Amino acid sequence: MTMMKRLWLIILMLAPLAVSAQQVVVSGIVKDDKTGDILKQVSVSAGRVSVVTNEDGVFVLKLDQKPGAITVSHIGYKSRKVVLEEGKTENLKIRLVPTTIQLREIVVRTNNPRELVDIAIKKIPDNYSRVPELLQTFYRETAMKRRHYIYVAEGVEDMYKTPYNRSINRDRVSIVKGRRLLSQKQGDTLGVKVLGGPVLPVQLDVVKNQEMLLNPEDLDAYEFTMGIPEYINDRMQYVVKITPRMSKEYALYNGTLYIDSERLAFTRIELELDMSDKDKATRTMLVKKPFGVRFKPRELSCVVDYRYEDGVTRISYLKNIFRFNCDWKKRLFSTSFTATCEMVVTDSQSKDVQPIASRNSFDSRDAYYDKVEYFMDPEYWSQYNIIEPSESLDKAIKKLVSTYRRN
């Protein structure tokens, strides 16, 4: 082989690496146009690739090539298409204008909100994916003792979803990459496990997992009322409020269901566990605890967002919050804890999708802490799209890393 051929071969070998290394970063902060307040959990997307803003209203979107524009949308605000100029893709200052509802434009299909929910349930097979899909997601779980973070774990995951006319039994989650940080203080150790983990996006996909809420037996236990309509992604939404009207052997929810006025698809579901019976709430929230620890539930709330694109509605974002107190029999005061699970779908694929093998999937009985390792590399996420840490979480991560290094 001549020198020229060797050089040509090396160039060919390096070319794919050079292409894959190129990356366009789109970043910024999103605020309310009138008040200037930061907006969290705002969807920022370029085609099928998307992220959400963090608690500080900040987002970072990593793409293979520069898009012509990004779409920024949030409940109750007019969606905005932001055109990107060459060389001006970072530190964007984006403001969203609140939408106003003109009641004369609303066409209510029925005066019975329960009937509206039933129609939306019947249309699930038509409105949601009819083929298997592979979703790439970013997942984060945190635990706080009072106001201090004691645990942070996060990872990039693949989530395989069967069509929405099937159950969640064959839906799977596998960890692509993950890391964990745990407080080294002995007093921060808490052996309490609450409902959660990376399989939560499968279990809390309320539209698909109808056993959780959207089944006739459970729905019969609720009172339904119409709320004030809202806009999501510039589409009018019917708003249905649900409250428990009878007692069941398990805890029920107070909730808000958002239903697209044209397609009659669920686009957002907000639920908060009824805490009137602490024993029922505990059975829902608590998986296990050490002997001698008394568990007192305070809150279990979740929000699930669905995004409409290419004629299909897909799950796009989920956040679950647990608040509880724990005390020990020999201690005078109880300690408050907050556990949070958050997931955003950053990309999706519908062609030539293969199921995730059971041996590679994460099981609901597994602890995420045991499945990932400790990492301190600041460039750990590289090209992956994630929910950026808020300022307070970023400080907590640095503090946990510093403590770990000292020990």
Side-chain angles (χ1 to χ4, degrees):
M1 182 181 292
T2 65
M3 180 62 70
M4 180 59 72
K5 288 183 178 179
R6 287 197 190 97
L7 180 61
W8 178 244
L9 179 61
I10 292 172
I11 292 174
L12 284 176
M13 291 174 66
L14 292 178
L17 296 176
V19 171
S20 63
Q22 292 177 352
Q23 190 178 77
V24 175
V25 175
V26 182
S27 66
I29 186 170
V30 184
K31 296 183 177 182
D32 183 295
D33 184 61
K34 291 186 176 180
T35 66
D37 294 339
I38 58 103
L39 297 177
K40 55 188 178 182
Q41 299 174 17
V42 176
S43 173
V44 182
S45 61
R48 284 197 174 189
V49 181
S50 63
V51 292
V52 297
T53 59
N54 64 11
E55 296 293 312
D56 302 321
V58 173
F59 71 91
V60 175
L61 194 62
K62 303 171 187 176
L63 304 162
D64 292 334
Q65 57 185 10
K66 176 182 167 295
I70 58 172
T71 301
V72 185
S73 58
H74 193 45
I75 181 172
Y77 288 83
K78 185 176 181 180
S79 295
R80 181 175 172 185
K81 190 173 184 179
V82 181
V83 178
L84 301 177
E85 300 178 18
E86 195 65 41
K88 296 182 179 179
T89 62
E90 298 189 53
N91 300 315
L92 302 173
K93 306 292 190 297
I94 301 172
R95 289 181 174 260
L96 295 184
V97 177
T99 52
T100 55
I101 303 296
Q102 296 179 347
L103 295 179
R104 67 177 182 274
E105 294 181 357
I106 302 172
V107 179
V108 180
R109 296 170 181 260
T110 174
N111 291 324
N112 186 339
R114 168 64 189 272
E115 184 180 350
L116 184 62
V117 171
D118 288 338
I119 294 172
I121 293 172
K122 290 179 181 178
K123 292 180 70 67
I124 287 174
D126 297 325
N127 283 326
Y128 300 82
S129 180
R130 306 179 191 91
V131 298
E133 293 194 323
L134 188 66
L135 310 180
Q136 185 168 93
T137 74
F138 175 75
Y139 170 82
R140 176 183 289 137
E141 59 183 33
T142 64
M144 298 180 71
K145 179 180 179 182
R146 298 187 181 93
R147 297 183 179 181
H148 304 287
Y149 285 96
I150 59 174
Y151 168 67
V152 179
E154 51 190 13
V156 172
E157 300 171 351
D158 284 336
M159 181 164 60
Y160 172 78
K161 297 192 73 65
T162 54
Y164 270 69
N165 59 358
R166 299 183 183 180
S167 70
I168 64 170
N169 292 340
R170 294 185 179 275
D171 292 6
R172 297 283 187 270
V173 172
S174 65
I175 301 172
V176 176
K177 194 175 189 180
R179 69 176 182 178
R180 57 177 167 82
L181 301 164
L182 181 67
S183 172
Q184 299 295 302
K185 294 181 180 179
Q186 186 67 29
D188 287 341
T189 303
L190 179 68
V192 171
K193 183 179 180 182
V194 293
L195 181 69
V199 296
L200 209 61
V202 172
Q203 299 166 339
L204 288 187
D205 185 347
V206 184
V207 171
K208 191 173 188 189
N209 185 17
Q210 295 182 24
E211 291 302 311
M212 181 179 173
L213 177 68
L214 301 180
N215 61 84
E217 182 180 350
D218 281 332
L219 291 178
D220 286 343
Y222 289 94
E223 187 76 34
F224 294 76
T225 57
M226 294 297 295
I228 299 174
E230 287 279 7
Y231 274 99
I232 299 179
N233 295 332
D234 292 338
R235 298 177 68 89
M236 181 75 75
Q237 309 291 317
Y238 295 129
V239 177
V240 177
K241 304 279 186 177
I242 62 171
T243 54
R245 70 178 184 88
M246 66 172 63
S247 179
K248 303 279 282 188
E249 61 273 16
Y250 47 85
L252 298 175
Y253 295 91
N254 293 289
T256 306
L257 314 179
Y258 296 81
I259 302 173
D260 187 285
S261 62
E262 296 180 16
R263 303 178 63 251
L264 294 183
F266 295 101
T267 53
R268 182 180 173 95
I269 297 176
E270 301 169 354
L271 299 174
E272 187 167 342
L273 193 69
D274 179 16
M275 291 289 169
S276 58
D277 189 315
K278 299 299 183 182
D279 289 336
K280 291 180 182 179
T282 296
R283 290 199 296 271
T284 300
M285 295 174 62
L286 183 63
V287 177
K288 66 177 182 180
K289 67 177 181 66
F291 178 77
V293 172
R294 289 181 291 200
F295 180 91
K296 299 178 180 179
R298 293 166 48 215
E299 176 190 344
L300 190 166
S301 61
C302 70
V303 56
V304 188
D305 280 333
Y306 296 87
R307 183 163 160 246
Y308 177 65
E309 185 182 32
D310 302 330
V312 177
T313 304
R314 299 179 179 87
I315 189 170
S316 62
Y317 176 76
L318 178 149
K319 187 169 185 177
N320 203 48
I321 299 176
F322 298 84
R323 301 188 197 277
F324 55 93
N325 285 7
C326 283
D327 63 23
W328 288 256
K329 293 181 179 179
K330 294 182 180 180
R331 296 187 184 180
L332 184 60
F333 300 105
S334 64
T335 303
S336 63
F337 292 89
T338 302
T340 303
C341 301
E342 191 171 19
M343 182 277 301
V344 60
V345 175
T346 57
D347 206 347
S348 62
Q349 181 180 339
S350 305
K351 295 182 180 178
D352 302 322
V353 171
Q354 298 298 319
I356 296 173
S358 296
R359 64 181 179 275
N360 298 328
S361 66
F362 190 95
D363 191 271
S364 59
R365 295 165 294 183
D366 295 332
Y368 190 70
Y369 178 88
D370 297 327
K371 295 293 182 178
V372 297
E373 299 178 1
Y374 181 88
F375 288 94
M376 293 183 290
D377 181 6
E379 302 299 324
Y380 182 68
W381 296 120
S382 61
Q383 78 275 18
Y384 291 109
N385 280 297
I386 70 170
I387 302 173
E388 286 295 301
S390 62
E391 184 178 357
S392 60
L393 180 58
D394 188 47
K395 289 179 180 178
I397 290 174
K398 291 176 181 177
K399 185 177 180 180
L400 291 172
V401 169
S402 177
T403 303
Y404 184 89
R405 283 174 172 166
R406 288 198 305 267
N407 293 339

